[in-house]
Amino acid sequence: KVAAGESGVLIRFQEQAMFQTGDVRISEGFRGELVTLARILQDTPGEVRVSGHTDDVPIQSSRFRSNWALSAGRAVSVVHAFEEGGIDSDRLLVEGHAHTDPVRPNDSRANRARNRRVDVYIFED
């Protein structure tokens, strides 16, 4: 999803396109897409804020203490791909929201899937 607002642009990536369940490693095919996007955005002025989101089901993993850690880790992975694509690190900001900012109520499997996402906001200077 891509949407324009008053202060910038939102690009939304659903979890299933980027990550395996409970993981922060970007799928190899999608990593190339993010690097390409970064090359396009590197000359676009403004801050690039990358926000990771999960559903409300607590993660059960020895690797991540909580959905907070998972959501932040996913955002960091996207930021690394953006740096690889040439976006200056001074323009990048990482946020991990866990389950606190759902786009749908966490009341069904389909809605939970929609809430597991990474949002990229490009704010104009």
Side-chain angles (χ1 to χ4, degrees):
K1 173 183 176 178
V2 177
E6 286 183 31
S7 59
V9 174
L10 162 67
I11 304 170
R12 175 163 290 154
F13 300 104
Q14 296 303 133
E15 172 203 50
Q16 61 268 29
M18 301 177 72
F19 303 101
Q20 295 291 322
T21 300
D23 201 353
V24 298
R25 290 174 294 177
I26 298 169
S27 66
E28 200 51 48
F30 203 83
R31 180 172 203 74
E33 299 295 323
L34 290 174
V35 170
T36 299
L37 175 61
R39 289 184 178 131
I40 294 166
L41 295 177
Q42 71 181 343
D43 295 325
T44 303
E47 178 184 271
V48 179
R49 183 174 66 200
V50 181
S51 301
H53 302 268
T54 67
D55 60 28
D56 66 343
V57 176
I59 190 165
Q60 297 180 1
S61 164
S62 61
R63 202 165 162 213
F64 301 103
R65 181 176 173 191
S66 66
N67 281 338
W68 291 103
L70 177 62
S71 65
R74 287 179 168 181
V76 167
S77 293
V78 172
V79 161
H80 287 296
F82 282 173
E83 286 177 315
E84 184 181 327
I87 296 179
D88 190 311
S89 60
D90 292 342
R91 296 180 50 211
L92 296 166
L93 177 68
V94 170
E95 296 180 341
H97 291 270
H99 65 282
T100 64
D101 189 21
V103 292
R104 298 276 189 271
N106 280 299
D107 58 4
S108 71
R109 175 180 255 172
N111 282 351
R112 284 187 182 94
R114 301 254 342 231
N115 290 331
R116 295 188 304 267
R117 67 195 192 278
V118 173
D119 289 340
V120 176
Y121 300 92
I122 300 112
F123 293 100
E124 299 173 17
D125 282 337

